[in-house]
């Protein structure tokens, strides 16, 4: 497990981690929307599987929304940790 030290580098690493979590979360959101749009566009060509595929895409997007909230919470906590460590660094603790 990676450890983040009480240092400027630790603050930068935690800030980057929070940013990465947010970026990945956004990419997942965009991919879900793209998937929905694509399935809707070719819906008639899917034949008898259309309803099943639409249901599965709906299930994927529902799971994605649940995960989104958790990722946002995690990102917020990581950002808070970065802020706390930055305060310690600014106070002279390293």
């Amino acid at each position: 497990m990676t450890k983040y030290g009480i240092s400027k580098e630790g603050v930068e690493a935690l800030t980057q981690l929070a940013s990465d979590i947010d970026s990945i979360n956004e990419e997942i959101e965009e991919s879900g929307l793209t998937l929905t749009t694509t399935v809707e566009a070719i819906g008639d060509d899917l034949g008898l599987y259309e309803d099943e595929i639409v249901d599965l895409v709906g299930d994927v997007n529902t799971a994605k929304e649940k995960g989104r909230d958790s990722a946002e919470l995690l990102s917020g906590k990581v950002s808070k940790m970065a802020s706390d460590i930055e305060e310690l660094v600014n106070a002279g603790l390293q």
Side-chain angles (χ1 to χ4, degrees), residues 18 21-22 25 65-81:
I21 291 169
D22 290 338
N25 216 16
E65 284 302 316
K66 290 178 184 176
R68 180 175 184 76
D69 293 342
S70 296
E72 287 174 353
L73 179 64
L74 178 60
S75 175
K77 287 186 177 193
V78 170
S79 292
K80 172 74 169 99
M81 287 174 61

Side-chain angles (χ1 to χ4, degrees), residues 13-90:
L14 284 169
T15 301
Q16 183 62 51
L17 177 60
S19 177
D20 290 347
I21 291 169
D22 290 338
S23 293
I24 290 169
N25 216 16
E26 287 301 317
E27 288 175 23
I28 292 169
E29 178 77 17
E30 290 172 16
S31 294
L33 294 173
T34 299
L35 178 60
T36 299
T37 302
T38 301
V39 168
E40 287 174 353
I42 62 170
D44 292 337
D45 295 333
L46 298 173
L48 67 115
Y49 299 108
E50 179 182 3
D51 290 339
E52 284 183 66
I53 292 171
V54 168
D55 288 344
L56 288 171
V57 169
D59 292 345
V60 167
N61 286 332
T62 298
K64 171 192 52 102
E65 284 302 316
K66 290 178 184 176
R68 180 175 184 76
D69 293 342
S70 296
E72 287 174 353
L73 179 64
L74 178 60
S75 175
K77 287 186 177 193
V78 170
S79 292
K80 172 74 169 99
M81 287 174 61
S83 178
D84 292 347
I85 291 173
E86 186 171 38
E87 287 180 25
L88 292 172
V89 169
N90 290 339

Side-chain angles (χ1 to χ4, degrees), residues 3-17:
K3 294 184 180 183
Y4 299 93
I6 299 175
S7 65
K8 182 179 177 184
E9 293 80 16
V11 172
E12 290 170 358
L14 284 169
T15 301
Q16 183 62 51
L17 177 60

